[in-house]
Amino acid sequence: MSADKKDYEKICAQYGVTDFRRMLKKLSEKKDERAKEQERVVERLCNLKPVELRDTGDAEFELEMSLRDPSSKIFLYKDGVMVPFDVDTEVKHGLKQVGKKFVFSINGVNPEDAGLYQVEVDGVKVFSTDLKLPSVDFLVKIEDVTVEEREDAVFECLVSTPLAKITWKGKNVALEQGEKYDILVSEDMLIHTLVVKDCMPLDKGIYAAEAGLKSCSAWLIVEDPGVYFTCGLSDVTAVIGTDAELVCRLSSEDCEGVWYKDGNEITSTENLLIVKEGTYRKLIVKNCKEEDTAKYRYEADGRKTEAMLNVEDPPRIDPDDLTEFMKPVVIKTGKEAAFKVSFVGREPMKIQWYNEGEELFDETHIKIEKSSSDSRLLLTKCQRKISGEIKIKIKNECGTTEAITQLTVLAFPGAPSQPKIESAFKDCINLAWTAPSNTGGTNLLGYIVEKRKNGSNIWSRVHPPDELIKEKKYGVKDVVEGLEYEFRVFAVNISGPSEPSTPSEFVFARDPKKPPGKVIDLKVTDSTYSALSLGWTKPHEEEGVQDEAKGYFVELRPAEDPEWSRCNANAIIMTSYTIMGLKSMAMYWVRVLATNEGGDGESQELDNYIIAMPPPVRPHFTDRKIKNFMIMKAGSSARVNFNFQASPIPSIVWLKDNLPLPKHVTMSNTDTSSQLIIPSSERHDTGIYTIVVKNMVGQETTSVEIRVTDDPKPPGPVEVEENVSGTVTVSWAPSPDEKKDDRLHYMITKRDSVKRVWQTVGDHLFNNKSTVINIMPGRQYFFRVYAKNDMGVSEPSESPTWEVKRKKETFTVNHQASKDCNFETPPSFSVPLKMHNSPESYECYMSCAVTGNPKPHVTWYRNNISLNTNTNYYITNTCGVCSMMILKVGPKDSGDYTVIAENPLGRVECSTKLVVKE
């Protein structure tokens, strides 16, 4: 029975049919049933991409589908077993959805991840793909490791295929990353490392590495180190005159050792005290001197530890001087202040004086004296501004010391506050004020009050010259009825009077007036989100009941706050006011009251609360010309800005193809504009973006189509055939971008052997073939096909040369009998080796081409040593192309490389040099 017939019968038996046509029909029926099931849950299914293994060690497969019910459940199965996955997180199995595209990922692919993956929607299978992994082998296996107790052991192997993870075992137990083990993988995922930390006798045994079906193992041997240091010496820095201690610790109490200073053995003395306490070994250096600076070493049982003792002599201030220096100094303005300290330390020493952080130098009122053991600062004719921190800083090569004190200079006090008019009568005006915050460093003795008539330039004291006012208030009786006055106050301390205060408001010497009445016709004249403008008419006067208004106060109360607050601290004389700093869309109550010398009148309140907003405006776009189509190059950023007017502030929503924006697309809004930002656009960002601006008055919407594309890739191979005489059909494989860009089309140009000029013979072609006419026999024709889109034109794909031969008369030629030929040739290099410069840890690939008959035998040498059997070099010879690859070059790989080819007819060699850079 033929093989075809056997296969036929096997297929028929599998589907329970005896007729192949019936079988095909049954298969078609099953396919239709499956399609109907899919239509029940999926409206559209396309762009199915099978699972692919990435260079990163992850795998992905994707599809595009539109679900009939957005709440449908999506399931993932491997070999018929459901596997859990999460959305947008780094777990073993993940799912990312961008619009209608679903991308399934398998992170850190291992051999056990191979199998059949299926996607189901509400129990209906919609897609299947098979993940097959390449076979894995160990190019370099782990080797036995011998370490001493408490050292780290390192096992390392090299696999033939990049793997994100392999299995490490110790004594047949799987090992995990943690305090005991470090599991490392190189960037190219070829080199895998296991580090066993702080090895103990219990850690010895067999360790194994497993990758797929392959494994390798090696022994870990942990040796007893004998006596060793559990803690070594550490460098010590000591100040001259103090004690220093060098300490180490052994693993045994019984071991004796020897101390060395700068290589010379030392014994216990009055200055150098050697102490043994259990496992601790100490060397105490008493009353350190500069000559004690040295390298000290302790040796025991063939082991040693060493450290450096540095004896330093930093600056040190005499304690008695320091105590005296730190006492605060208080002087009067114009007097002098002196500061002095003594110190010791290694010379040379740098001495600096500071006042409030600013370094002082010799000048008219500053004198600085310095010597090797003391320094003095003298400040003459001191002013108030020099009060504050006085600091001396002494520095040498061993360190720095500082001392700080305080200097207080008594100047005149600050000015009191502006006097306030408490009350006014025809024969007395009562004032009040507050004391200055700066009293000049002493208690105030009292105050001086002066008055001035309106229109006069002369100030006069209102109390006897030899008397000071003790309280912070005073009744001025030296006034004339009907005249207008202002007042100012001086503060006085031991140094004298201060500057005068700000003058008070003008006030008439007359009995109090009646407060004014209510303002008239209070209304809102304008409003914004942060401001409110008011206007009103002054109140009427009524003799004996209400006097003329001299000013106005505007008061504000947020709707949620029961307390009123004044918007203007001083009364305004205008009958209008703008309140600033309101909270957008907040509710406020507003009132205005008139005031005069007699007090505040009754307030007039608006009939209703006010919302901080402009008058209502329906949203509308203000751009003169709105863009509705944009073409962007892939990788560039896209920004779309729309300006609008709306009141109250509208809500703004952006949509892409009537769906929410992807996470990587952002928007930036202000009260009058909105900007859409795509940081680094990709083809899947193509779509229609719609902005919806909406507030309580209405809404407005507009859209812009953004097309993200790139310079198209050229079409595939071009073929030419003749179907009709005088014409040819040019066909080509589609550009890889054809499926991504629905506006991509093609253009054909031709050139013949006579005209030698390229001519366009077809453009705006959306299929993959076209017929070209006027093809003449006896000429050679060349065709180029270009891909074109909105961004530009691709590189051309060229056809083979096309020629229709002219028919000629046949003729015959008598050939002489051929002779036998000898095709044997000695070896030779048709392509020699090239020089190589390679960075450290990179791959290095060398190749050359060898010819010869019989086939030459090829041998690679490095520094005259054969490499053909060295597993660290991957050597191949395919059809005369001889190559060698070094997976991870290091300094040891630098040198001269030689290839020798030989056969019975001769021998030839070719050399090059490899330089490995750091």
Side-chain angles (χ1 to χ4, degrees), residues 443-458:
N443 293 329
L444 295 177
L445 301 178
Y447 300 92
I448 297 172
V449 178
E450 293 182 343
K451 75 174 189 299
R452 184 176 69 173
K453 290 186 288 187
N454 193 0
S456 171
N457 294 324
I458 300 174

Side-chain angles (χ1 to χ4, degrees), residues 843-894:
E843 288 184 358
C844 179
Y845 181 83
M846 300 183 185
S847 66
C848 60
V850 179
T851 61
N853 189 16
K855 180 181 178 182
H857 176 71
V858 177
T859 308
W860 286 79
Y861 294 88
R862 175 182 170 273
N863 295 337
N864 298 321
I865 299 174
S866 174
L867 304 178
N868 279 31
T869 59
N870 192 328
T871 57
N872 291 326
Y873 301 87
Y874 185 64
I875 297 173
T876 60
N877 184 352
T878 304
C879 297
V881 178
C882 304
S883 61
M884 179 185 71
M885 183 169 66
I886 307 172
L887 291 176
K888 191 175 182 182
V889 299
K892 62 182 178 59
D893 294 310
S894 294

Side-chain angles (χ1 to χ4, degrees), residues 366-433:
I366 301 174
K367 184 171 180 59
I368 299 175
E369 299 173 353
K370 301 177 183 177
S371 72
S372 60
S373 60
D374 59 51
S375 181
R376 181 172 181 263
L377 170 67
L378 179 64
L379 304 174
T380 60
K381 295 184 180 180
C382 294
Q383 299 299 315
R384 175 69 178 167
K385 64 181 180 179
I386 205 171
S387 294
E389 180 184 273
I390 300 294
K391 178 173 72 174
I392 183 173
K393 182 176 181 181
I394 310 170
K395 181 179 181 181
N396 66 8
E397 63 180 10
C398 298
T400 303
T401 187
E402 296 179 351
I404 297 175
T405 189
Q406 294 292 327
L407 171 64
T408 303
V409 180
L410 303 177
F412 297 102
S417 67
Q418 179 188 30
K420 182 179 180 182
I421 308 298
E422 293 285 296
S423 59
F425 302 91
K426 64 183 178 181
D427 56 358
C428 180
I429 298 175
N430 295 306
L431 309 175
W433 60 88

Side-chain angles (χ1 to χ4, degrees), residues 122-278:
D122 286 346
V124 178
K125 291 183 177 63
V126 296
F127 183 55
S128 300
T129 183
D130 195 9
L131 174 58
K132 295 181 180 179
L133 300 181
S135 60
V136 182
D137 202 353
F138 287 92
L139 299 180
V140 177
K141 300 180 179 180
I142 61 174
E143 296 179 348
D144 295 344
V145 177
T146 301
V147 296
E148 290 187 354
E149 190 175 334
R150 309 310 296 264
E151 290 184 341
D152 293 347
V154 179
F155 293 95
E156 193 170 73
C157 62
L158 175 66
V159 294
S160 59
T161 301
L163 291 178
K165 182 180 179 183
I166 66 171
T167 301
W168 288 97
K169 289 186 176 180
K171 303 175 185 178
N172 291 325
V173 176
L175 307 179
E176 298 292 338
Q177 173 73 30
E179 294 183 1
K180 185 63 180 175
Y181 305 102
D182 275 342
I183 298 176
L184 310 173
V185 184
S186 63
E187 290 185 4
D188 57 10
M189 294 185 286
L190 294 175
I191 300 174
H192 295 259
T193 305
L194 169 67
V195 181
V196 184
K197 295 181 282 190
D198 193 21
C199 292
M200 302 298 290
L202 289 175
D203 296 320
K204 66 183 178 181
I206 296 178
Y207 288 77
E210 297 180 355
L213 302 177
K214 300 288 185 177
S215 66
C216 58
S217 60
W219 276 91
L220 170 60
I221 301 170
V222 182
E223 296 181 342
D224 183 1
V227 177
Y228 57 91
F229 288 99
T230 60
C231 179
L233 296 175
S234 298
D235 292 343
V236 175
T237 300
V239 176
I240 194 167
T242 63
D243 295 345
E245 188 176 84
L246 296 160
V247 183
C248 61
R249 188 177 185 183
L250 293 168
S251 60
S252 171
E253 295 183 7
D254 302 328
C255 185
E256 298 293 339
V258 179
W259 285 93
Y260 295 87
K261 176 183 178 183
D262 284 339
N264 299 315
E265 184 177 345
I266 57 176
T267 58
S268 189
T269 65
E270 184 178 352
N271 181 44
L272 298 174
L273 183 60
I274 296 176
V275 179
K276 175 184 176 184
E277 295 178 355

